[in-house]
Amino acid sequence: MAFAAERFELLIIGGGPGGIATLLAAHKLDQLDSLLSMGLAVVESSDGLGKGSIGNYAINSDSGGGTFVDCLDAAHPTELTRLQTHELTKRLAAAEDKSVPLRDAGRFLSLVGQAIERMIASYPASAVFTRHKAQSARRCEDGWSVEISDLTSGKTRKIIARQLIIASGANQPMQRMAAEQFGGQSLTARCGTRLMQSGEVLTTDGLQRISKNLGKKAKPLVAILGGSTSAAAVAHALLHRLTGVAFGEAGITLMHRRPLRIYYPDRQQALAEGYTEWTEDDVCQISGRVFRFAGFRLDSRELVMQARGIGGRPAEARLRLHQLGADDGEAARILDQADIVVAAMGYRPRGLPLFDRLGVPITLLSQLGPQRPMVDSDCRVLDAKGQALPDVFGIGLAAGFVPRGRLGGEASFRGQANGLWLWQHDVGALIVNAVLAKAHSAPTRNDFLPAAVTSQRETYRSTSIVQG
């Protein structure tokens, strides 16, 4: 059966943690009813909303368990507020500011996703397309024409949306490692099959592979390239989650370019532990936190502080820190001697192929280099000239959002801010307010959706919505 183009005010491409964050922000603002009433669709390639890939990682979170459950709060009872009595919710809440296993976080986000699906199902104007993937979007008179494919049947359908949110996640492209040079050789050429990426290492399968590889070596050596949270998380996982592997002194080397910053709740606690490597530009002027965005937290924080001998913590002799220089022969030696080299060089947005009205591909700013952001300070997706595309927003890992002004953060921060709490609150709220402002100035979906299309969607909905 051929489907006519379905029309919505808003289409969210990707229903993982980033994709549902805007809906959770709207829930917090008591605006979710407004979003769903005007016509909203979510396209997600997996069987359900919420979890994404977060539950695949065999490590702990870098934020406290209490920050996960905060998204359930609302002014009125909803499907989401009912989850506050769930056993898993109560366990995460009890952790407060302590880390929790990402497996539990993934399970919780699956529960949240199921509740959101039930809420969407109760609004005739809105829909969820699970097991579907957005293939491309083309600018049209009514907004954007998006082609999505059914991953089960292979059939395609078209959706017209006045506004888009791209939350399609991120990956670690091999090109980034091929471009990294050490001693005149690319990282991939120099390390060959010894090279792994951090996203692979941090999974259960990845850690098992490393354990099998290093288990019989008397003095295993691992080099980690990168100074991010992912790099420190890899070091922590290798030291604490491998079975049958005995690292000796300097068995793991963390090779980083920028100084490793430490998060503190306030200036006083930093000074009390003798940590003085900061200025007022490194303090969030709203929260008073030192290195609020740039600093390591929880497991990674403790490990880096042990390696650096900060705050009287016992030394972790198995981890060596090596700051890379302009001409670093020592770095090449470390790489060549390592049994495994782990690249933790960050993620890039998967994005979505976009075309203008004439069908000409639109190059995004994020496609021009590994440090280029996908979005601006209002979460609007940027083209190659740095101009915001009309009615297209981006959110999630590697989107490149940098908080400023009332959102807080340290003035010295030059990276990108990633975190569920931020997405579900301040960042999500930016998008919600912009989407609603646009929607209120234009016809609603119900003004131009043919009745036949509504009937088709109701038939589709009965077979696609998770009711668990």
Side-chain angles (χ1 to χ4, degrees), residues 181-420:
Q181 295 285 316
F182 284 91
Q185 283 185 296
S186 71
L187 186 60
T188 50
R190 189 169 206 115
C191 301
T193 58
R194 296 179 296 128
L195 186 62
M196 299 178 69
Q197 300 222 59
S198 58
E200 176 187 7
V201 171
L202 293 174
T203 65
T204 299
D205 289 344
L207 290 175
Q208 289 177 345
R209 281 181 51 197
I210 292 179
S211 185
K212 183 178 180 181
N213 185 316
L214 300 181
K216 296 181 181 180
K217 296 185 180 293
K219 295 183 178 180
L221 296 174
V222 174
I224 303 170
L225 275 168
S228 64
T229 296
S230 294
V234 167
H236 188 275
L238 296 182
L239 290 172
H240 298 282
R241 295 182 181 272
L242 292 186
T243 57
V245 179
F247 288 105
E249 184 174 352
I252 299 175
T253 302
L254 182 63
M255 305 166 67
H256 59 99
R257 284 196 171 88
R258 291 176 292 185
L260 302 179
R261 305 302 193 187
I262 308 298
Y263 163 83
Y264 276 91
D266 54 50
R267 302 170 180 82
Q268 291 72 27
Q269 292 187 54
L271 294 174
E273 291 197 331
Y275 185 64
T276 58
E277 300 171 8
W278 52 274
T279 68
E280 282 302 304
D281 280 347
D282 304 317
V283 180
C284 173
Q285 296 306 305
I286 292 178
S287 67
R289 297 171 183 174
V290 179
F291 292 121
R292 176 184 171 189
F293 291 131
F296 290 106
R297 298 192 182 215
L298 297 173
D299 290 347
S300 297
R301 177 180 185 268
E302 288 301 307
L303 180 60
V304 171
M305 293 180 78
Q306 287 178 354
R308 296 199 54 200
I310 296 173
R313 285 161 173 77
E316 176 51 88
R318 296 174 297 173
L319 176 64
R320 171 176 54 171
L321 304 178
H322 179 82
Q323 187 162 1
L324 295 167
D327 181 16
D328 201 332
E330 175 66 5
R333 186 189 67 79
I334 293 170
L335 291 177
D336 291 343
Q337 291 182 350
D339 299 301
I340 291 175
V341 176
V342 180
M345 297 179 176
Y347 289 77
R348 298 301 297 155
R350 288 195 181 94
L352 176 75
L354 300 176
F355 299 86
D356 66 16
R357 293 175 186 267
L358 300 177
V360 178
I362 299 173
T363 301
L364 301 183
L365 184 63
S366 59
Q367 296 173 310
L368 301 184
Q371 304 303 322
R372 299 295 185 95
M374 183 172 78
V375 303
D376 64 9
S377 58
D378 292 315
C379 294
R380 300 175 299 178
V381 173
L382 302 172
D383 66 14
K385 295 180 180 180
Q387 300 296 312
L389 295 177
D391 309 320
V392 185
F393 303 91
I395 190 172
L397 184 63
F401 177 79
V402 180
R404 287 289 183 261
R406 66 179 183 82
L407 300 188
E410 59 269 31
S412 62
F413 183 62
R414 294 294 179 268
Q416 54 180 296
N418 291 309
L420 284 177

